[in-house]
Amino acid sequence: MKINVNHTLSRIEQLYECGRQEDGCHARMAFAKADKKGREIFRDYFRLIGIEPRVDAAGNMIARMEGQHPDWPAIVMGSHLDTVPD
């Protein structure tokens, strides 16, 4: 798989814009409007590649792409989409 760095950076910037404050700071507090917008953007990234993510009871977004070899172990990654105040 070849990664398009400019495309990846533009998506990061799109997510980063969620929560831009008037003073130039950024904040996406958990479950606030900006956080929900960021989650929608992230969800749509997965949908573009044919993955329908789900959200568990704790609010974690989970997207699973099945591997091409049934004997290989799964790879798990995690991250926060919300932020601390600036």
Side-chain angles (χ1 to χ4, degrees):
M1 171 188 291
K2 185 174 180 179
I3 297 173
N4 181 323
V5 174
N6 290 330
H7 188 248
T8 301
L9 290 174
S10 72
R11 289 200 168 169
I12 291 170
E13 287 295 327
Q14 183 184 20
L15 183 60
Y16 188 61
E17 286 303 310
C18 294
R20 178 184 288 277
Q21 308 295 304
E22 290 182 19
D23 63 0
C25 296
H26 292 78
R28 281 189 311 279
M29 300 303 293
F31 306 108
K33 184 177 179 180
D35 179 48
K36 290 178 184 177
K37 178 63 177 171
R39 289 169 178 270
E40 289 173 10
I41 289 171
F42 209 68
R43 179 201 63 212
D44 290 344
Y45 293 161
F46 284 112
R47 287 179 172 168
L48 284 172
I49 61 172
I51 299 172
E52 185 61 39
R54 65 181 178 87
V55 177
D56 69 11
N60 298 303
M61 184 181 304
I62 300 161
R64 181 180 176 106
M65 175 184 274
E66 296 299 326
Q68 296 180 356
H69 194 287
D71 296 331
W72 291 354
I75 297 172
V76 179
M77 299 185 318
S79 181
H80 287 264
L81 294 173
D82 59 339
T83 67
V84 296
D86 195 48

